Amino acid sequence: MNSARLLSLALSVVFGAAALSAADVLDTFKPGALWPDDQGVHINAHGGGILLHEGVYYWYGEHKIGGEIGNTAQVGVHVYSSTDLYNWKDRGIAFRVSDDPNSEYTKGCGLERPKVIYNEKTRKFVMWFHLEFKGRGFTAAHTALAVSDRPEGPFAYMASFRPNKGIWPVNVTEADKNPQLPEPHAGRLANAVLGQYLRRDYEVGQMSRDMTLFVDDDGTGYLITSAEENATIHIHQLTDDYLGFSGKWARALVGDSNEAPAVFKRGGKYYMLSSGTTGWRPNPGRSAVADSMLGTWTRLGNPCRGTPEQIATTFESQSTHVLPAPGKPGAFIYMGDRWRPSDAIDGRYIWLPIEWDNGKPILRWRDSWKLSDLKTAP
Ligand code: GAL
């Protein structure tokens, strides 16, 4: 018996019915409940995303430990695999933080929202994540890159970036480049709208915090990230190998203060779910649509339907990924985190089916649900 199984057994002795069992085969999603992996241990993959590769789903996320210290990276990125999305096999640590105190990804750094995409041309698995340097709060605002030949890793660290140094976005205006008004202006959002942060970071590269990746049907990859002091979303097109930036990028939802972006494509349109910026505390979700990734994004409002409390807190969750449902064209699954910052390892997962109303993505609470509840596109 391995140590995880032993721990699970010990927990069941102490906590009785509340403990997880490794023996159960799951066939239902239970948003917010403990979610046992194949060892009976609650899945540890927060702020995560899912890659489908050769019929297997890989769920990558932040490995958290107990207590508040678990909000910093003490271990790295955990990966699980599944063929049915209910039952997840623990595949270990895909990317490990460094023991070298001089490394920029040393143990204790901030390593958040890891996502992995597969590059068909190079046959590499490419991981990007939000990196903050140890002891420096959220000031670095870097995005970091790690690569592996295998989905379960180990991923090798490559570099971290402030994206697109010295390159203006495709939708920059003359006013953005040449401020007409004296700086600084009142407030973060006004600063964003006036292009202050864009200009400030032009020479050093743009900020990159909460992030996700998206691969379009033609194989073009994008890093979608919260920038400009979290006031504006930046969408950076990646190079063909996904290991860098092509130099084409756009600002989206300028001054709207979005975090936790998750992007998906349906019926030729691009959709983004996101949150507001209240740290670990949940807030009302947002949604937006565009005709192209680097085009104009239009707000679609809060996707949540339900009680005022549910609408105000996105069912006590924050978006992290949207997963195309297996075998159901046009059907998608919302993945969110219910953070537990005082005991980070106890964070829960809120997965809900995405419904549609008048071209808008909609979320409704379910205590439990199954993939068979998902509807294909009309
Ligand atoms: C949230 C963000 C999380 C984490 C947290 C820290 O807004 O989405 O990924 O950075 O803030 O307070």
Side-chain angles (χ1 to χ4, degrees):
M1 186 177 294
N2 68 26
S3 56
R5 193 70 202 265
L6 204 62
L7 177 69
S8 149
L9 199 71
L11 285 173
S12 49
V13 172
V14 178
F15 296 110
L20 305 172
S21 161
D24 297 340
V25 174
L26 307 176
D27 64 355
T28 310
F29 298 114
K30 293 190 176 147
L34 289 170
W35 192 339
D37 66 9
D38 64 321
Q39 303 295 314
V41 176
H42 180 48
I43 291 173
N44 197 342
H46 309 266
I50 289 183
L51 169 73
L52 173 62
H53 183 71
E54 292 179 349
V56 179
Y57 290 94
Y58 295 89
W59 177 355
Y60 302 87
E62 303 161 27
H63 178 106
K64 306 258 193 196
I65 65 166
E68 271 181 46
I69 195 174
N71 298 310
T72 58
Q74 302 297 316
V75 176
V77 177
H78 208 129
V79 59
Y80 297 81
S81 63
S82 174
T83 49
D84 64 8
L85 297 177
Y86 302 114
N87 298 282
W88 291 90
K89 184 174 162 54
D90 183 356
R91 305 295 295 268
I93 303 302
F95 175 76
R96 213 168 261 289
V97 293
S98 172
D99 288 329
D100 175 358
N102 297 317
S103 159
E104 62 180 14
Y105 64 101
T106 192
K107 185 175 167 184
C109 67
L111 190 174
E112 296 185 342
R113 300 184 174 275
K115 304 288 179 301
V116 174
I117 51 181
Y118 176 68
N119 191 284
E120 299 279 351
K121 292 184 191 127
T122 63
R123 300 190 174 181
K124 301 275 184 205
F125 296 83
V126 180
M127 177 188 290
W128 289 81
F129 55 85
H130 170 199
L131 177 68
E132 294 292 348
F133 302 148
K134 184 177 179 181
R136 296 196 14 209
F138 280 78
T139 55
H142 273 220
T143 182
L145 171 67
V147 177
S148 176
D149 291 328
R150 299 170 346 144
E152 67 275 24
F155 282 77
Y157 190 77
M158 296 283 133
S160 81
F161 307 84
R162 277 290 194 94
N164 279 317
K165 204 179 277 193
I167 301 177
W168 294 112
V170 293
N171 53 359
V172 71
T173 64
E174 284 310 308
D176 290 336
K177 291 192 210 170
N178 301 304
Q180 305 298 310
L181 297 161
E183 302 185 42
H185 291 282
R188 189 168 62 98
L189 306 189
N191 279 343
V193 171
L194 293 166
Q196 311 278 29
Y197 302 128
L198 176 71
R199 286 190 297 280
R200 182 195 69 188
D201 294 338
Y202 176 77
E203 299 289 348
V204 291
Q206 300 294 327
M207 300 178 89
S208 180
R209 290 195 181 124
D210 279 13
M211 52 137 287
T212 192
L213 299 173
F214 174 74
V215 176
D216 208 343
D217 300 331
D218 66 359
T220 309
Y222 297 88
L223 171 82
I224 300 96
T225 183
S226 191
E228 300 182 25
E229 306 293 347
N230 298 344
T232 300
I233 292 286
H234 287 180
I235 303 180
H236 300 281
Q237 190 183 81
L238 299 175
T239 49
D240 284 353
D241 58 10
Y242 304 157
L243 304 181
F245 301 100
S246 76
K248 275 179 85 176
W249 69 284
R251 299 168 81 208
L253 305 165
V254 175
D256 261 12
S257 269
N258 283 282
E259 284 190 324
V263 169
F264 61 106
K265 188 177 186 182
R266 183 184 190 258
K269 288 188 189 296
Y270 301 83
Y271 293 87
M272 190 189 305
L273 299 186
S274 59
S275 73
T277 52
T278 55
W280 302 119
R281 280 181 300 110
N283 55 56
R286 288 106 179 268
S287 60
V289 64
D291 289 330
S292 67
M293 281 300 287
L294 300 180
T296 304
W297 286 81
T298 306
R299 296 169 199 113
L300 293 178
N302 188 335
C304 303
R305 301 287 180 272
T307 66
E309 174 71 12
Q310 289 172 332
I311 294 169
T313 66
T314 315
F315 313 102
E316 251 186 275
S317 78
Q318 188 181 26
S319 41
T320 186
H321 189 69
V322 171
L323 178 68
K328 299 224 172 159
F332 294 87
I333 299 169
Y334 164 85
M335 290 170 54
D337 291 284
R338 182 174 286 175
W339 304 111
R340 289 276 159 86
S342 59
D343 188 20
I345 196 173
D346 194 35
R348 305 299 173 90
Y349 309 102
I350 307 299
W351 288 25
L352 292 169
I354 295 182
E355 300 172 32
W356 293 87
D357 180 19
N358 239 334
K360 295 183 182 185
I362 298 295
L363 298 173
R364 287 194 175 85
W365 180 254
R366 317 248 180 147
D367 289 331
S368 70
W369 64 281
K370 292 178 187 292
L371 290 171
S372 54
D373 297 337
L374 286 161
K375 297 190 178 57
T376 44

